[in-house]
Amino acid sequence: MDTIISIVRQRIEAHPKKIALRYKRDRKFKGVSWGELGETITSLGCAFLDLGTRIGDRVAILSENRPEWAYTDLAILSCGAITVPIYPTSTTKEIEYILNDSGAETVFVSTKGNLDKVASIAGQTPLKRIITFQEAPSADPLVMLFDKFLEIGKNKLPLYRDPLGERGKAVTQEDLVSIIYTSGSTGAPKGVMLTNKNFVTNCKASADVVRIGPKDRYLSFLPLSHAFEKMAGFYMMLIQGAEITYAQSRETIFEDIKAVHPTMLCGVPRFFEKLYAEILNKVIAGPSLNKNLFFWAHKIGRACLKRRLKRKRVPLHLAVLKMFITKPISKKLKALLGGKLKFFISGGAPLSSEIAYFFLSFDILILEGYGLTESSTVISVNSPRDFKIGTVGKPLSGVEVKIAPDGEILARGPNIMKGYYKHVKDTETSLKDGWLYTGDIGHFDRDGFLVITDRKKDIIVTSGGKNISPSEIETAIKVDRYIDDVLVYGDRRKFISALIMPNVANLEKYARFKEIEYKNLEELVKNPKIQSFMERRIDAKQVDIPKYAQIKKCVILSEELKQSKGELTPTLKIKRKIVTEKYKKLLDSLYEENIS
C-alpha cells in the first residue's frame, strides 16, 4: 500500500508544474507548484538528516496554517520521523505537557509569541532546538531561523539526497505519521498514534464519498493541528491532487473565500453558527423591504426543500416562486462564498439541523460527518448524492460500525488508531478486539444513516430517572444569534438548568435599541428585561424538546470562557467538568426554590 509521502512523490513526478499550494504574500496569492513543493521537502529532509534525525523521532509543529507547516510536515515524513502538531493557541502549560509526553527534541514555531512560550519552558523539556518560521531576534542558542535550516538542507543535497530517498522508500503503511493529542476535554490530553495506513485508507474512502479530485480548490482555515483538518484539508487534498490555499487568518476567511473561489470547505459547527448569525444580523439590520423579501425567499425555499427531501413533486406555483424570489438571493449568498462552492463539510461536533435546513433552503449544502482523532478521523459522512439532515451519514467503505447494548458506537477498520502513545491502559480501555469504543451514544435510523445522540459520559439522569442528552439541547439553543454557547446542567436534579454565554455584541445592540441603561456587562445580564428577553428566546428554541428535558432556569454569564483559563479546549469546546465545577454554587442556587 502507498504511504502519504510516496503518493506525494508520485504527484510531484507526474505534475511538477501544476499548483499544489497557494498563500498570500504582499497582497497577492502566490502559487507553489508540485515541483517546487518537492524541492523544498527534499531540502528540508536533508537538513533533518544533517541534524541526525532518526526514524521514529518525534518533531513538533506549533504554528498557524501556512505553507511552511506543509513543507515541514512532509519533510518529517520523508525521513521516517513523526509529526506532533500543537495548537498555536495552546497555553505554555499545554505545550510543555505535549513536548514532554512526546519526547520531541525539535519544535517548529510560527510567531514571536509562540517562540517566547516555548523558550520559557524549553529547559523543562527534551528540546534541543527551536526553529522559527518568522524572523525574531533571539540570543538563545536553541533558536534557528527556518530559512537558515532550509539553506543547510540545500547545501547538503549532494550528501543526503540518496539516503533521504532510501528513507522514504523504507517507510511502510504501519509506520506512524503523527501523534495527535486529544483536546483534553475529559482529562489529560493523550497522544493518538496514527499510521500511513490509517490516513491513506481514510482519505481515499472519504474522497470516494464526497468526490474530491484534481480540479477541486480548497481553502484551509481550520487548524492543521486538528486531526479533522490534517486528514480532510491536507492529506486528502494532496492524495487527490486538489489545490490548497491557506487563509490569512480567521478574520479574513470571507475575504479569502471571495478571492480563492473554493469548490469545498471544511468547518466545525461554530463556523456555520457564526456564518448563520452574521447573515441574519445583516438582514435584520437592513431595510424592511429587503428583510421581508429575504424571509419570504427562505420560506419558499424551505417549502420546496421539504417536498424534495420527501421525494414529492414541487407544485408549479412554488417552483416559479423559488425561481424568481429565492434563487436571486441564493445567488448572492453563493457569491459571498466564492461562487464555485459545491458543498461544505461539517465535523468535530453536532451541527444544528436548523442551520443545515436554512442553508439548504438556499441550495447551499452542508454535509455532516462523524469521527474522532482515534479514527483518523472519519467514520461516517453524508454524500452529496445520498444525505439526510440530522444524521452523520453512512459508514465509509471498509469501516464497520455497530451499536453496543448500552448505545455506545463502536467502530472497526483500517482507519482506527494504533493506540495512545505511552498510555497502555487507556489503549486497552478504548480498543477491544479491534473495535474502537468511541464514547459516543447513537443509533442507525431505518435508512442506515448514523445518528449521534451525545457523549456517553455527558448523559444527564434527572432525579425522576429521565435520561437527557445535553448536546441536543445545547445545539438547539446556541443557534440563537444572541447566544454564543450553552452548558446544560441537572444530573440527579428535578429539572434542567443552564449556563448561557451571550453574544455580547448582539445583546448590547438590543439594549441600545430598547434604551436599557447599564454600566457594565454584569449589570446588563442581570437586568430583568434582558433576562426575560433571553428566557423567551430560549423557550422558543425548545419547542421540539420534551418538557422534562427543557431548560427551566439559567444563569447568563458576564465573563467570557477562555482557553487560557483552562475552560475551553484548543478547538473551543467547553471543558464541561472544569466549567461546571467553577460555577457549581451558582448553578446549585437555581434549585433552592421549587418550580411550580
Side-chain angles (χ1 to χ4, degrees):
M1 179 187 287
D2 289 327
T3 62
I4 289 168
I5 197 63
S6 73
I7 295 172
V8 169
R9 291 291 186 196
Q10 289 165 25
R11 288 280 176 195
I12 290 165
E13 290 175 15
H15 306 283
K17 294 184 179 180
K18 186 179 184 294
I19 297 298
L21 308 174
R22 288 189 190 274
Y23 64 99
K24 199 165 191 179
R25 193 72 49 88
D26 301 326
R27 298 183 180 181
K28 290 183 179 179
F29 278 102
K30 298 185 178 182
V32 178
S33 70
W34 281 94
E36 291 167 331
L37 176 63
E39 289 171 7
T40 305
I41 293 169
T42 299
S43 295
L44 288 173
C46 290
F48 275 118
L49 293 191
D50 191 60
L51 278 181
T53 304
R54 299 155 297 187
I55 293 171
D57 277 359
R58 281 78 60 208
V59 181
I61 304 177
L62 173 65
S63 170
E64 299 79 11
N65 295 11
R66 52 192 296 155
E68 291 87 350
W69 206 111
Y71 304 151
T72 303
D73 180 80
L74 294 172
I76 291 167
L77 302 191
S78 73
C79 58
I82 301 162
T83 304
V84 180
I86 306 177
Y87 285 93
T89 54
S90 295
T91 64
T92 303
K93 186 178 178 182
E94 289 166 341
I95 295 167
E96 183 180 355
Y97 173 86
I98 292 173
L99 291 174
N100 279 318
D101 193 71
S102 68
E105 296 181 352
T106 302
V107 61
F108 288 75
V109 301
S110 54
T111 61
K112 185 179 184 302
N114 279 330
L115 173 61
D116 291 343
K117 283 182 193 176
V118 173
S120 71
I121 50 91
Q124 287 78 56
T125 72
L127 281 179
K128 292 182 179 178
R129 62 198 65 83
I130 306 167
I131 300 172
T132 175
F133 293 146
Q134 294 180 355
E135 190 164 350
S138 177
D140 192 327
L142 292 181
V143 178
M144 179 190 294
L145 283 176
F146 178 79
D147 288 346
K148 178 67 183 295
F149 185 66
L150 180 59
E151 185 183 344
I152 290 171
K154 288 178 179 178
N155 293 334
K156 297 289 184 177
L157 275 171
L159 182 62
Y160 290 118
R161 186 190 291 272
D162 289 342
L164 181 67
E166 292 305 312
R167 280 269 191 110
K169 290 175 185 175
V171 174
T172 73
Q173 61 177 344
E174 298 299 335
D175 288 330
L176 293 186
V177 167
S178 253
I179 298 174
I180 302 180
Y181 280 79
T182 58
S183 61
S185 58
T186 57
K190 297 187 288 289
V192 178
M193 298 188 288
L194 299 174
T195 67
N196 276 286
K197 182 180 179 181
N198 293 153
F199 276 121
V200 172
T201 58
N202 205 235
C203 288
K204 288 185 175 181
S206 298
D208 284 346
V209 174
V210 298
R211 293 190 178 177
I212 297 299
K215 292 182 180 179
D216 281 297
R217 289 192 302 275
Y218 179 77
L219 182 68
S220 175
F221 63 88
L222 290 180
L224 278 162
S225 40
H226 192 299
F228 178 33
E229 181 69 11
K230 196 167 197 279
M231 172 267 163
F234 184 37
Y235 291 151
M236 184 170 76
M237 297 301 148
L238 291 175
I239 287 171
Q240 298 304 116
E243 186 181 292
I244 302 170
T245 299
Y246 295 109
Q248 301 169 76
S249 69
R250 287 183 181 181
E251 287 69 37
T252 64
I253 289 172
F254 295 107
E255 174 192 328
D256 294 336
I257 284 174
K258 290 177 188 177
V260 173
H261 309 294
T263 58
M264 69 159 289
L265 287 169
C266 289
V268 292
R270 199 168 184 86
F271 167 75
F272 300 110
E273 290 160 9
K274 288 186 175 182
L275 177 58
Y276 172 76
E278 191 173 316
I279 291 169
L280 289 187
N281 284 340
K282 285 182 179 178
V283 169
I284 290 168
S288 293
L289 180 62
N290 290 355
K291 180 171 66 175
N292 292 336
L293 185 63
F294 180 89
F295 286 113
W296 186 28
H298 172 250
K299 187 177 180 181
I300 294 164
R302 186 72 175 257
C304 292
L305 175 61
K306 277 185 176 180
R307 286 167 173 79
R308 189 158 54 108
L309 292 178
K310 291 179 179 178
R311 304 184 191 278
K312 291 183 178 180
R313 187 180 66 84
V314 176
L316 181 61
H317 75 281
L318 265 183
V320 171
L321 284 172
K322 183 176 179 181
M323 176 66 70
F324 292 102
I325 304 298
T326 308
K327 197 168 182 179
I329 293 176
S330 173
K331 193 174 180 181
K332 288 180 181 179
L333 288 176
K334 287 179 177 180
L336 288 173
L337 301 171
K340 300 290 184 182
L341 192 72
K342 295 190 294 188
F343 50 78
F344 287 112
I345 295 178
S346 176
L351 175 70
S352 162
S353 293
E354 182 177 330
I355 288 177
Y357 278 120
F358 171 84
F359 282 105
L360 196 52
S361 295
F362 292 105
D363 296 322
I364 297 168
L365 178 61
I366 304 176
L367 298 173
E368 190 173 4
Y370 165 70
L372 308 167
T373 303
E374 290 87 341
S375 61
S376 65
T377 53
V378 184
I379 288 174
S380 65
V381 65
N382 279 287
S383 158
R385 302 162 305 284
D386 186 23
F387 65 87
K388 186 180 283 191
I389 292 174
T391 79
V392 291
K394 296 177 180 178
L396 292 181
S397 175
V399 178
E400 297 176 72
V401 176
K402 69 179 182 180
I403 310 299
D406 64 354
E408 184 173 2
I409 298 167
L410 312 184
R412 182 168 68 180
N415 60 322
I416 303 302
M417 68 170 180
K418 202 167 186 176
Y420 295 114
Y421 187 62
K422 298 195 299 189
H423 289 256
V424 177
K425 288 185 178 178
D426 286 323
T427 300
E428 290 172 349
T429 300
S430 295
L431 287 177
K432 299 173 185 176
D433 299 322
W435 290 97
L436 172 67
Y437 284 64
T438 65
D440 290 311
I441 300 294
H443 64 272
F444 284 104
D445 72 6
R446 62 183 180 183
D447 296 316
F449 287 85
L450 185 60
V451 179
I452 309 298
T453 308
D454 212 322
R455 290 293 294 170
K456 189 175 178 179
K457 292 180 180 178
D458 293 341
I459 294 293
I460 290 172
V461 182
T462 65
S463 59
K466 296 287 188 182
N467 282 26
I468 293 171
S469 165
S471 73
E472 286 187 337
I473 306 167
E474 290 160 356
T475 301
I477 300 296
K478 64 184 179 182
V479 167
D480 191 281
R481 65 194 188 95
Y482 289 93
I483 296 173
D484 264 353
D485 219 332
V486 186
L487 185 145
V488 166
Y489 181 76
D491 197 44
R492 296 187 297 278
R493 294 289 191 170
K494 291 181 179 180
F495 60 85
I496 297 298
S497 62
L499 289 175
I500 303 294
M501 282 56 79
N503 183 302
V504 176
N506 286 345
L507 198 59
E508 289 181 332
K509 281 181 187 176
Y510 175 79
R512 287 194 295 271
F513 175 70
K514 289 293 185 178
E515 298 181 344
I516 297 172
E517 294 183 1
Y518 62 98
K519 294 176 183 176
N520 51 46
L521 187 57
E522 185 176 3
E523 188 174 305
L524 176 63
V525 300
K526 288 181 178 178
N527 185 291
K529 291 181 180 178
I530 291 294
Q531 291 191 338
S532 177
F533 170 71
M534 294 294 276
E535 285 168 8
R536 290 197 305 273
R537 297 196 71 88
I538 291 168
D539 287 343
K541 290 288 183 287
Q542 298 191 101
V543 290
D544 294 326
I545 295 171
K547 287 284 185 184
Y548 65 82
Q550 291 182 7
I551 296 168
K552 298 293 192 297
K553 287 187 176 183
C554 66
V555 174
I556 305 170
L557 295 183
S558 59
E559 57 180 341
E560 188 181 358
L561 299 182
K562 294 183 179 179
Q563 186 188 344
S564 59
K565 294 181 180 179
E567 297 163 338
L568 299 174
T569 70
T571 52
L572 304 181
K573 293 177 186 173
I574 294 174
K575 289 190 176 181
R576 196 176 293 273
K577 185 177 179 181
I578 290 172
V579 174
T580 299
E581 190 59 36
K582 179 177 179 178
Y583 293 102
K584 193 171 188 304
K585 287 185 179 178
L586 201 54
L587 286 163
D588 287 346
S589 70
L590 298 175
Y591 296 89
E592 289 175 2
E593 295 179 12
N594 291 325
I595 292 229
S596 56

